[in-house]
Amino acid sequence: MTEMNDYLRLLFAKAGRTFSPISGKEVKKDEVNDVVKFITQLPKGKKIHIVIPLPKEAEKNVKYYLDDLLQKGFTRLYHIAEKYVIQIEDLLMEEEPTLDMKNMYILIDRLVAKDFEDDELHRVADSIQTGFDETNGDIYLDLEDRTEHFCNRFELDGIRFEEPTPNFFSSNNPYGACPECEGFGQVLGIDPSLVIPNKNLSVHEGAVVCWNGEKMSEWKTAFIYENKNKFPIHKPIRQLNKEEYDLLWNSAHGIDAFFNMVADNLYKIQYRVMQARYRGKTPCTSCGGARIRKDALWVKINDTHIGELLDMPVEKLNEWMKSLTLNDHDQTIAKRILVELETRIQTLLDVGLNYLTLNRTANTLSGGESQRIQLTRVIGSNLTDSLYILDEPSIGLHARDTNRLIKVLKRLRDLGNTVVVVEHDDQIMREADYIIDVGPFASHLGGEIIAAGTYKEILKNKKVSRRNT
Ligand SMILES: [Zn+2]
């Protein structure tokens, strides 16, 4: 809708931060620049060895492995505990060279901290990149008194995370769409509103309708027996707290278990009928209805994921944007995106769509709503020299919002466009540059031009039709 979704995706790809669902900590990876920066901030005179660990397979055939290292251009190893450097060539002279796998590292480069020249920094950056490439993302800086580890992989808590791109947040794209519901946000499952159609009843009174048959009531009895001290069987469903409601669905004799039993018996026709009766579209539990893969929801800006933003009324989204605090880096890269978003949000507010959420699909919009959204798009694109024809765009608007709509229409005109509006609304007519009044009555009883001119000129004319163009 109005490219807002595209801009939000872009914003999240650029400024979003990924948080591990395990520890809740932010997932970060060290870039070459981060390591270079670290090195330039070390006290001058500090000795630095840039090293990477030996791979496990080095042990199997040491000579073969060392030969291979030489081929690749590595010439030295470094003993991290005893702080000495060995030439690989010297090791190869030995009859049967051995490697202290725990302490021996491949030396990529060594340097002493100082005010580096630009070309020296390039060399350092190259060395670090080489280290990351060779190890699949790990390098160590030995600083004599301590060792610093840098990791170039986007991972935390044993999970390898995806690095956000705009498509990562798109439900229309196979990469971003939630795999459970294929981007629909809903799955076919047991619909709670069919299982418990009347929430004013208690379990005892038969709120769970699938347990009301003669045979199936055994489940109700079993559930009540299982939870006799934990579950209030006389309390209406509406008044259950979350734990009690969860118990009803998830305990050993709960509703979920019941439908699992049904699913196991689908070869019998009565169970197939039963399952069909309670199946409906239910929110996807993987994405919670957000339609995108659940790891995309681990990416947040100011503690909010993109699914929550798409679910917010434009009004709330506007507040969120206003309260957005980004650091300088994010602010710089997101600046243009934020401007585009703000303009569009403002226009949506101007045309009275403050209640709309961005994930409303186009086919659920009324004619007036979708016309006004088109306006937002047009104004965002700054197109000129075009003719726009709108059919009653004010439908469903309050008088206050009609005024804002008029402002938007005028802005469109002032951009160098022609705007033709079919309207009954006198507020809009009053603001028109030129009015053509078609009548005298609606549809086949009309069709004649009754009056034409500015609002003032028309006022002098007594004949005013029901439908005005
Ligand atoms: Zn889903």
Side-chain angles (χ1 to χ4, degrees), residues 11-46:
L11 179 67
F12 270 76
K14 295 214 180 235
R17 296 176 184 279
T18 304
F19 294 87
S20 162
I22 310 276
S23 62
K25 286 194 185 133
E26 186 181 343
V27 186
K28 282 182 181 165
K29 72 171 201 175
D30 298 313
E31 304 284 356
V32 170
N33 278 340
D34 297 325
V35 189
V36 172
K37 196 172 163 203
F38 176 86
I39 289 176
T40 56
Q41 286 169 349
L42 286 171
K44 291 185 186 58
K46 191 92 187 160

Side-chain angles (χ1 to χ4, degrees), residues 178-183 185-187 284-289 291-292:
C178 166
E180 292 299 318
C181 61
E182 293 174 337
Q186 293 180 319
V187 287
C284 168
T285 48
S286 176
C287 63
R291 302 167 197 222
I292 53 174

Side-chain angles (χ1 to χ4, degrees), residues 241-261:
N241 64 30
K242 192 179 174 304
E243 285 77 44
E244 290 160 353
Y245 189 75
D246 281 350
L247 212 56
L248 179 58
W249 280 87
N250 302 322
S251 68
H253 295 90
I255 297 169
D256 272 345
F258 172 78
F259 280 104
N260 286 340
M261 177 279 291

